[in-house]
Amino acid sequence: MQIFTFMKQQRPIAIIISAACLLLMAIVSSCNKSTSTDIVTSVPIISTYPTITQLTATSVQAYGLISYYGDNAFELTAEGICWSSTNQTPTITDSKTTHGLDTLNISGNLTGLAPNTTYYARAYATNSYGTGYSSVVKFKTNSATYTSTATVSTFAGNVNAGLVNGTSTGASFNNPQGICADAAGNIYVADTYNNVIRKITPAGVTSTFAGNGTVGYLDGTSANAQFYAPKAIAIDVAGNIYVADMGNNMIRKISTSGVVTTLAGRGTAGYADGTGTNAVFKSPSALAVDANGNVYVADKGNNMIRQITSAGVVTTLAGTTVASGIDATGTAAGFNAPNGIAIDAQGNLYVTDSGNFAIRKITTGGVVTTLIGNIILKTIIPSPAGISVDASGNLFIADAGGRIMELTGNLLISLAGSLTTTGFANGVNTAAAFNSPQAIAVSGGNIYVADMYNNMIRKIVVTTTP
């Protein structure tokens, strides 16, 4: 079981969150059950984040996590990342970084690498008993001529909030926060502050798909239905649309014939599994649908991932109401305000766990693991919001701080935007600017972003040169 790490014992401790403190107490209690022999005769125990960042032709950033470093007699004396292009199990006799000893998280900038070359890296830590190593991460540097260009444009909307249908920038939105695409390339938007669902054709023509614009709750035909701050939207293989109606704490369904019904939830905030209106949610913030019509909900206020069958039966897939960052199976795992969710072709779920600053994965067996990030390494993705997955299994992440990112295999890259400049600007790579991007969808090889505070839907076209 992996648990997000905190500052080392007997060193200055930052106040993180009260839930983290409770979790640390649980870890200590568990460790006390070990025998003294278990503690004294152990080198540090380390795991490696499978994800690397900032890959270039000559450098990369790698990470490690110290699970156990020894008792007082075996304080750490060294830690870092070691690597080699020839030794598939590198050691501290190979190239290495030296990391400060103030936290249990290790990050290292590996420099002086050769272009277009395969490397092997792993974290290490040394105490008085010896050196422990994590598992090995394999990666290949870029070629010397490699380039990646992400061109950002405005697909629909303008900076002025409103509810106007039209073409391209002639349409207006009001804080859009959810987005999805159908098989024909149409984009559907949860236009949150307008309390409606919008549709944008591939030609950029925006219309109102469902909702009359009045805050409330009403099932019926799409033109008469009412929503309350719809936060997220998803579509199934048959073309039915599902809406996380956050203000109503409900999951709504819009049939292909345009009829709005309530799939689950009863309008009050709380937690209860059950069927239809017997189930209770608390600020549902994201949706994904599998090939069998099961709907998965990032139930942000409950710190859970919920599942709804096509018959409306709601169960808890993973997490508990207590916020934490535990990697485990099912309800033994913990989340902290999950607000984005996506599903791949194999049925694996991916979650942006905002309170833990992490990207998590849930297998079809309910096993939760952390792909990247935690409450100390939060600078990697400081504000994870929306997430989407393409047919090849690549993940696309909307970092609400102002970036759009891609996780391909074990490589996390920044496609467009930056954390230093927010606002509105079309352009290439970091020259483009977003203002709290909240949701992301992939369609026809292009990326579409619900750019909330810019009141726009942005389009990103990525081209690469080997």
Side-chain angles (χ1 to χ4, degrees), residues 36-361:
S36 59
T37 301
D38 291 334
I39 295 175
V40 173
T41 60
S42 177
V43 298
I45 300 171
I46 315 170
S47 60
T48 301
Y49 284 119
T51 303
I52 58 174
T53 66
Q54 302 176 41
L55 179 70
T56 71
T58 59
S59 64
V60 74
Q61 192 83 10
Y63 306 89
L65 173 66
I66 302 176
S67 304
Y68 168 77
Y69 67 92
D71 67 0
N72 295 340
F74 295 97
E75 283 276 335
L76 292 179
T77 58
E79 61 184 65
I81 306 290
C82 56
W83 73 92
S84 173
S85 62
T86 57
N87 183 3
Q88 296 188 14
T89 54
T91 70
I92 55 176
T93 61
D94 294 302
S95 299
K96 68 178 185 293
T97 66
T98 301
H99 191 275
L101 301 177
D102 56 341
T103 76
L104 301 181
N105 287 280
I106 303 170
S107 64
N109 187 22
L110 284 52
T111 61
L113 308 180
N116 200 33
T117 302
T118 298
Y119 283 89
Y120 307 88
R122 58 178 175 171
Y124 73 89
T126 303
N127 63 13
S128 298
Y129 190 76
T131 299
Y133 295 94
S134 69
S135 57
V136 175
V137 171
K138 179 181 177 181
F139 65 91
K140 187 176 183 179
T141 53
N142 292 332
S143 69
T145 58
Y146 176 84
T147 60
S148 177
T149 302
T151 303
V152 180
S153 61
T154 301
F155 185 58
N158 58 76
V159 294
N160 299 309
L163 178 52
V164 177
N165 291 323
T167 301
S168 189
T169 57
S172 62
F173 300 83
N174 194 347
N175 284 243
Q177 296 185 46
I179 192 169
C180 72
D182 67 15
N186 297 298
I187 305 298
Y188 298 86
V189 180
D191 194 359
T192 306
Y193 283 18
N194 279 326
N195 302 291
V196 295
I197 307 303
R198 313 288 289 280
K199 178 181 177 179
I200 313 172
T201 68
V205 179
T206 300
S207 60
T208 300
F209 184 72
N212 62 17
T214 301
V215 175
Y217 165 66
L218 182 66
D219 285 338
T221 61
S222 59
N224 295 321
Q226 292 179 348
F227 300 89
Y228 182 7
K231 177 69 166 62
I233 191 167
I235 189 168
D236 66 18
V237 292
N240 299 297
I241 301 284
Y242 299 87
V243 179
D245 195 2
M246 185 173 64
N248 282 318
N249 294 291
M250 294 176 171
I251 309 303
R252 314 283 292 278
K253 178 180 178 180
I254 309 171
S255 70
T256 54
S257 60
V259 177
V260 179
T261 56
T262 300
L263 179 65
R266 60 172 179 240
T268 56
Y271 168 66
D273 286 336
T275 301
T277 55
N278 290 321
V280 185
F281 299 87
K282 187 177 182 181
S283 298
S285 297
L287 301 174
V289 189
D290 68 17
N292 297 317
N294 297 301
V295 179
Y296 299 89
V297 183
D299 195 3
K300 185 174 183 178
N302 280 322
N303 305 300
M304 293 176 172
I305 306 303
R306 316 282 292 277
Q307 181 189 61
I308 313 173
T309 68
S310 57
V313 179
V314 179
T315 55
T316 300
L317 179 67
T320 70
T321 55
V322 178
S324 70
I326 302 173
D327 281 346
T329 301
T331 55
F335 296 86
N336 189 351
N339 64 341
I341 192 167
I343 189 167
D344 67 17
Q346 290 72 44
N348 299 298
L349 292 168
Y350 301 89
V351 179
T352 52
D353 195 4
S354 64
N356 284 317
F357 310 96
I359 306 301
R360 316 284 295 279
K361 178 180 178 179

